[in-house]
Amino acid sequence: MRRAERLFQIIQILRRSRAPVTADAIAAELETSKRSVYRDIAALVGQRAPIRGEAGVGYVLEAGFDMPPLMLTPDEIEAAVLGAQWVAGRGDPVLAKAARDLTSKIAAAVPDRLRPYVLEPAAAAPPAWKPETDRIDVAQVRAWIHAGRKIRLNYSDETGAISERVIWPVTVGYRETIRMIIAWCELRAAFRTFRTDRVVGAEFMDERHGKRPAVLRADWLRFREAEVAAWDQRTKAGC
C-alpha cells in the first residue's frame, strides 16, 4: 500500500470510530508496523488533520473534518455499486431511480483507471424474483419517518381481516420480495410490522407523534434486542 493510500485509510479508520483507536489496532488493520502508524499520524497532524490523542491511549478525529468526495478505493467502489444494484432491483421506485443515478455519478466522478470497477464490477446483485406490489407510497412513508408524523392505515392481515391502525413509522425494512413498515402501533401499544403489499388504504396525517425519529428508532432497537434475548432464552429452555 502506498503511503498516500495509507494516510487516507487512517483517516477512514478514525472517522468510523467514536472511541479512541490505538496505534496497535490501526497497524493490525493496515498490516503495517506501529512505528509506521506513529509516523503517519505525525504527518497527518502536520497537514492540519484534526487528530487528537497520544501513543498508548489512542487517537480520535475531531468532528467536522471532511475529505474531498469520492476518494474511493476499488473495494469501496464495488461495495457502493453492489449496494446500488441491490436497491435498484428491490427498492421503491424513488429509491431505485436514486440508486441508478448514484451509479452514474460515481462512474462520472472517479478517475479513468477506476471506472471499470463501476461499469464492469466483479460482483452483481440480480433483480428480485416476483416482487410484491406496494400498496402505499413508500417514498412518502420515508418522508413521514423523517418528519415524525403519523400514518393511518387500513391493513389486511394474512387471513384477509381488515383493521384500522394509527402508526408511528420507524423504518422501512426490505426483504427479497416484500417491503415492511416497522412502526409503533397505537392500537396494540407496541411495535408492529406491516407489509406494504397488505395496505388497503393510507392517510398521511399532519399530526406529529411527539418523539424525535432518533429516539423512536432507539426505542425500537431496544424492543428488538429484548425480543431476541427472550427468543434465545426460550430456545435454551427448549433444549
Side-chain angles (χ1 to χ4, degrees):
M1 181 184 294
R2 294 179 301 174
R3 188 166 190 244
E5 293 177 349
R6 197 168 65 239
L7 295 178
F8 174 74
Q9 288 301 322
I10 289 173
I11 292 292
Q12 291 292 85
I13 292 168
L14 296 178
R15 286 178 74 180
R16 69 172 182 249
S17 178
R18 295 183 180 181
V21 185
T22 64
D24 282 326
I26 297 172
E29 180 165 343
L30 299 183
E31 298 181 349
T32 189
S33 68
K34 189 162 62 171
R35 181 175 297 178
S36 294
V37 171
Y38 288 143
R39 286 199 299 264
D40 292 341
I41 293 286
L44 288 167
V45 172
Q47 295 171 20
R48 298 186 177 180
I51 296 173
R52 293 185 294 103
E54 59 184 69
V57 177
Y59 300 93
V60 295
L61 186 68
E62 292 182 352
F65 177 73
D66 204 0
M67 299 176 68
L70 294 174
M71 291 181 60
L72 303 177
T73 67
D75 286 341
E76 289 169 342
I77 291 171
E78 289 208 306
V81 171
L82 181 62
Q85 288 177 349
W86 196 96
V87 174
R90 294 163 180 79
D92 62 82
V94 174
L95 274 188
K97 180 179 182 300
R100 292 190 292 269
D101 289 346
L102 172 63
T103 302
S104 299
K105 288 179 179 179
I106 294 173
V110 298
D112 290 342
R113 67 182 178 84
L114 295 177
R115 197 156 292 128
Y117 291 93
V118 183
L119 303 179
E120 303 165 12
W129 186 67
K130 294 185 178 180
E132 298 289 346
T133 301
D134 295 322
R135 300 188 181 279
I136 187 172
D137 186 338
V138 178
Q140 192 165 356
V141 172
R142 290 189 284 106
W144 252 236
I145 290 170
H146 291 299
R149 297 181 187 277
K150 299 181 181 183
I151 303 173
R152 178 176 283 110
L153 297 180
N154 288 324
Y155 186 74
S156 174
D157 65 16
E158 64 275 7
T159 69
I162 297 174
S163 60
E164 182 178 290
R165 311 290 187 95
V166 174
I167 64 171
W168 307 0
V170 179
T171 189
V172 178
Y174 290 79
R175 290 190 174 175
E176 186 64 23
T177 60
I178 63 171
R179 284 177 279 275
M180 303 170 295
I181 304 169
I182 294 89
W184 175 264
C185 174
E186 291 187 352
L187 179 64
R188 302 302 184 199
F191 288 102
R192 290 290 185 268
T193 298
F194 302 91
R195 289 177 45 159
T196 60
D197 59 305
R198 291 182 179 170
V199 175
V200 178
E203 176 191 350
F204 290 88
M205 305 168 66
D206 292 330
E207 183 182 353
R208 297 180 183 275
H209 51 64
K211 281 198 174 184
R212 289 189 297 108
V215 173
L216 183 60
R217 184 178 180 84
D219 290 345
W220 169 64
L221 290 173
R222 284 192 293 271
F223 168 81
R224 188 178 65 176
E225 289 171 359
E227 278 203 324
V228 170
W231 185 86
D232 286 342
Q233 288 295 327
R234 290 195 297 271
T235 302
K236 291 177 182 178
C239 293

